[in-house]
Amino acid sequence: RTRGPDGAEDEYIELYNPNATVVDISGWKINVSNDSGTTSTRATIPASTILRSGQYYLIANSSTNGYSGVVTANLTYGQGITNAGGIALVRPNNTVVDQVGLGTGSAYEEGTPLPALPSNANQSYERKLGGPSDSCQDTDDNANDFSLITSDPKNYSSQLSRCGTLLPIPVLTTTTITGDFPDPSLVNASVSVSV
């Protein structure tokens, strides 16, 4: 979303892992383009950030009149994105992972770009299939892959769901090792652990 109910900076970017494997997104960047092709970086994802299968990650504008949604952002940035520009997810070595354009002047787009968002409504573009079916379509054509929806972003804490199939909620446990024999640093030794 490049504009929303609170105006031009009421914006967010939602990342999603539709794969069956974990993806380490540490150091990946959100790059943006204006409508004349000038690019810059808005956010860099912190170290040790992974996306599990079916997991979302929300990045939002934290400036005055920035993101107004109720779902908490996982990462923020402070400078707006041009409504008729574009957005790219970029690896630390600057290779583009994915991109979407909202105008023909953007440096970032795949196939036919989307039109700029038409108003300050609670709307955004979501990759199809969308909603409870998740964002799993990628034909490398923005106009074919995205649809305009009422905004309802998800974040890192949202239910894991891979392309419409709910996944088990991970259970966090704390394990205390109370003893071991023999010393586990012994090379090729059999070790028993009491938990």
Side-chain angles (χ1 to χ4, degrees), residues 119-194:
S119 68
N120 289 351
N122 184 30
Q123 60 190 353
S124 60
Y125 284 111
E126 181 177 29
R127 190 175 290 279
K128 297 174 183 175
L129 304 166
S133 296
D134 300 308
S135 303
C136 296
Q137 180 171 309
D138 190 359
T139 65
D140 294 330
D141 186 294
N142 294 156
N144 185 53
D145 290 339
F146 287 84
S147 58
L148 187 62
I149 63 159
T150 299
S151 291
D152 186 21
K154 297 178 184 173
N155 67 8
Y156 210 61
S157 300
S158 298
Q159 168 73 50
L160 300 181
S161 176
R162 188 174 62 245
C163 300
T165 302
L166 293 179
L167 301 173
I169 297 171
V171 178
L172 300 176
T173 60
T174 302
T175 303
T176 304
I177 298 175
T178 58
D180 59 62
F181 180 82
D183 184 336
S185 65
L186 296 175
V187 176
N188 295 325
S190 296
V191 177
S192 64
V193 178
S194 302

Side-chain angles (χ1 to χ4, degrees), residues 2-3 35 82-86 101-104 113-119 123 125 148:
T2 52
R3 64 192 287 189
D35 52 0
T82 303
N83 187 38
L102 289 100
T104 56
L114 302 167
L117 288 173
S119 68
Q123 60 190 353
Y125 284 111
L148 187 62

Side-chain angles (χ1 to χ4, degrees), residues 2 8-11 32 40 42 61 63 77-83:
T2 52
E9 295 193 352
D10 187 357
E11 54 195 30
V32 300
S40 59
R42 284 295 180 271
N61 188 333
S63 64
Y77 58 92
Q79 185 178 357
I81 300 170
T82 303
N83 187 38

